[in-house]
Amino acid sequence: MNDIRIAPSILAWDLGDLERAVEISVEGGADLVHLDVIDGHFAPNITFGPGTVKALRRRCDLKFDTHLMIDTPLQYVERFLDAGSDLLTFHAEVLDGSKFDELYKVVKARGKEVGLAIKPKTDLPPWALDRLDKISTLVVMTVNPGFSGQTMDMTVMPKLQKISGLVKDRGLPTDIEVDGGIEPENVGEVVKRGGNVLVAGAGVYGKKDPVKAISELRERAELARVKG
Ligand code: DX5
Ligand code: ZN
């Protein structure tokens, strides 16, 4: 199983002070910064775009995990690459095999990584199962896309376990990222079910000491890993 990695979601911080949000991630020893891009169509919220990602890139060297909750990723992927995204995650719900292949080509031509996300009620489609070796990160959402601070949907746990088992059976190096409602109290369960990249918005930025919250989440996750 891959290393535990913590990816704070800056959507949960004061959006007027995102510079501080990325500083907190650096100070807390986060592995990635999770950037939630929402277009008001795919999900009922509008967040930020490539301009913001670019501005944050100038202020932070951590790996940028850009979660594109948008209807037309092909239209925007180049701009997020130009802005400095390292991992570009697209949603299975707006793709098919050929659209995925196009996106894959664009991202790989720039030497970056492709992620594939699914909403809580979505299963991995057959075209994705045929392309697992092209996906560096499978993102299993445990809340409906749109907002930080929602409660984790625990009914997703069997699906998470199934997907991580599938990846293991095929001997793939794919990361399993879990996104939505991760808190110190439930991160252990997520790890036991096979999650290794742990996104946390409110679970980091909503805490009194967000810098410390990052290392606490990591400790809890590592402990669950050891206990099995
Ligand atoms: C939801 C986003 C999540 C969310 C995570 O649309 O994809 O990344 O911001 O925030 P928490 O951890 O607060 O659920
Ligand atoms: Zn996200």
Side-chain angles (χ1 to χ4, degrees):
M1 203 179 175
N2 296 352
D3 289 347
I4 295 289
R5 292 207 275 279
I6 308 293
S9 163
I10 61 167
L11 187 58
W13 188 246
D14 173 0
L15 295 182
D17 191 10
L18 290 180
E19 181 165 22
R20 181 64 196 142
V22 293
E23 271 173 23
I24 288 169
S25 278
V26 172
E27 285 170 26
D31 303 282
L32 309 92
V33 178
H34 186 82
L35 302 165
D36 286 306
V37 175
I38 309 181
D39 64 356
H41 295 278
F42 180 80
N45 195 7
I46 300 177
T47 56
F48 44 77
T52 303
V53 176
K54 190 172 177 188
L56 293 174
R57 180 78 292 167
R58 288 197 294 269
R59 292 165 170 82
C60 174
D61 293 327
L62 285 180
K63 182 170 173 178
F64 275 3
D65 164 20
T66 303
H67 181 187
L68 294 172
M69 288 164 278
I70 65 178
D71 272 356
T72 56
L74 253 176
Q75 194 180 345
Y76 292 102
V77 60
E78 293 271 13
R79 291 179 57 191
F80 284 100
L81 284 162
D82 291 343
S85 299
D86 299 294
L87 164 63
L88 291 106
T89 294
F90 310 106
H91 262 271
E93 294 85 359
V94 298
L95 299 181
D96 54 26
S98 68
K99 281 183 188 156
F100 175 89
D101 292 342
E102 275 185 78
L103 286 165
Y104 179 82
K105 220 160 73 189
V106 174
V107 175
K108 283 291 139 183
R110 304 282 290 268
K112 302 296 181 183
E113 295 172 26
V114 172
L116 189 73
I118 48 174
K119 298 205 274 191
K121 297 231 167 344
T122 305
D123 282 321
L124 274 183
W127 60 258
L129 292 173
D130 292 342
R131 291 168 172 80
L132 278 190
D133 58 323
K134 295 189 157 72
I135 299 166
S136 81
T137 305
L138 281 169
V139 181
V140 177
M141 289 201 71
T142 42
V143 299
N144 279 317
F147 302 92
S148 167
Q150 304 179 74
T151 304
M152 179 180 287
D153 179 350
M154 298 308 285
T155 68
V156 180
M157 291 300 111
K159 180 174 77 176
L160 171 61
Q161 191 161 3
K162 200 174 134 198
I163 289 174
S164 54
L166 183 84
V167 163
K168 201 175 158 202
D169 289 348
R170 290 203 195 174
L172 293 167
T174 322
D175 281 315
I176 308 291
E177 178 168 318
V178 178
D179 184 9
I182 290 189
E183 291 283 339
E185 294 73 29
N186 59 24
V187 72
E189 180 69 14
V190 166
V191 169
K192 281 183 197 151
R193 301 282 188 158
N196 75 293
V197 181
L198 309 161
V199 176
V204 166
Y205 291 113
K207 303 296 182 194
K208 223 188 263 148
D209 186 343
V211 171
K212 210 166 111 197
I214 295 170
S215 44
E216 280 177 2
L217 262 186
R218 189 190 299 283
E219 278 163 29
R220 295 251 192 157
E222 301 279 9
L223 198 67
R225 165 67 61 86
V226 172
K227 281 189 179 162

